[in-house]
Amino acid sequence: LCMLITDVSKFSLGRLRPHFLTVCNPNLEEVCYQLEDTYIEAEDSDYSYTEIHHPKYVMENNTCTGNNDLMREARLSFISGHSSISFYTAAFLIIFMNKYINVWILRTLLQFTHFILACWISISRINDYMHHPEDVIMGSIIGIVCAYIIMYMEEYSVQKAGKQKDNELSPENIAMTVK
């Protein structure tokens, strides 16, 4: 569930990574203004100010000179997959340990360790210029929410199966099957 949400958002939203311009390696002659264009006087030229100073954008098809596979990967910043999976795993293990480990000091130490590890993984993605802080924050939120959803669904299905089993073993149902 967590990876499905993360991958769908990565491929549908496609935000640029912080190092996109390095990977793109744009042809600066295509993108930047020529120095001579800024000093053209009105008497010497038939061009208006808007024709000379139009915005130019870095686009893959005509200005980027980098590797196409790396440029495709550099468009997949939002949502951080590393932070969503690490926080999903940490939240899942924290909830699991809360239910099944009874030694308080061991449980607290392991839960804290998993949370710190997830934070470290997420922060390293920002420090490596692979994600923006917003990408990591959203990945962390999605990971935690998915862990709670999965744990809730597991608890709900166990309770539902227990009620079904109790109904099958009730005296009325046993008496009806004997007749």
Side-chain angles (χ1 to χ4, degrees), residues 57 71-72 109 161 176:
Y57 299 100
M71 285 193 305
R72 190 175 308 113
L109 181 65
M176 291 178 76

Side-chain angles (χ1 to χ4, degrees), residues 147-158:
Y148 276 104
I149 289 171
I150 295 298
M151 290 303 282
Y152 173 76
M153 288 174 53
E154 181 267 336
E155 187 175 306
Y156 177 74
S157 64
V158 167

Side-chain angles (χ1 to χ4, degrees), residues 1-3 5-6 79-95 114-115 118-119 122 136-152:
L1 176 68
C2 184
M3 277 310 295
I5 292 170
T6 301
I79 294 172
S80 172
H82 283 79
S83 66
S84 66
I85 288 299
S86 64
F87 271 95
Y88 170 79
T89 305
F92 185 86
L93 290 173
I94 287 170
I95 296 167
H114 289 307
F115 180 75
C119 288
S122 299
V136 169
I137 290 169
M138 281 305 296
S140 304
I141 291 170
I142 287 176
I144 291 169
V145 168
C146 287
Y148 276 104
I149 289 171
I150 295 298
M151 290 303 282
Y152 173 76

Side-chain angles (χ1 to χ4, degrees), residues 102-118:
N102 296 327
V103 180
W104 180 81
I105 190 72
L106 177 64
R107 180 181 68 217
T108 305
L109 181 65
L110 288 173
Q111 288 174 337
F112 183 72
T113 303
H114 289 307
F115 180 75
I116 292 298
L117 183 62

